[in-house]
Amino acid sequence: MMKDTVSQLLQARRRLAGQMPDPSIALAGSLMSRMIRCNKPGCRSCEKGKGKGHGPIWILSVSAGNQRVRQIPVPAHLK
Ligand SMILES: [Zn+2]
């Protein structure tokens, strides 16, 4: 009885492991949006204190190990 349960669990675990995405293409990260400033002189959107900047743009923040974080811009249609 006990043995059956264990083998069932092992089987379920193998099945679930098989459903995992390929770790080499799966990224652990978070998607966030932010406004950006172009820093062009005279740009109304980036005017100090008033402008909101451009965007929002989407950024995928991915841990690259060594406590570093890579920030990858994501086109809106791929969000
Ligand atoms: Zn601007």
Side-chain angles (χ1 to χ4, degrees):
M1 187 67 181
M2 187 69 188
K3 214 176 167 190
D4 278 359
T5 309
V6 168
S7 69
Q8 269 175 21
L9 286 172
L10 285 174
Q11 211 175 12
R13 188 172 74 168
R14 252 196 306 273
R15 199 176 59 233
L16 287 172
Q19 290 169 359
M20 294 280 284
D22 182 347
S24 65
I25 58 167
L27 296 171
S30 47
L31 188 64
M32 53 197 180
S33 66
R34 76 157 57 134
M35 305 298 283
I36 51 164
R37 293 181 187 275
C38 67
N39 292 322
K40 279 183 200 150
C43 175
R44 290 200 143 203
S45 302
C46 303
E47 213 175 329
K48 259 205 172 146
K50 289 185 206 163
K52 286 190 290 184
H54 303 270
I57 61 161
W58 289 91
I59 292 182
L60 185 64
S61 180
V62 182
S63 169
N66 304 325
Q67 296 186 331
R68 287 188 321 188
V69 172
R70 277 190 67 189
Q71 301 208 327
I72 304 164
V74 178
H77 69 280
L78 293 179
K79 169 166 77 79

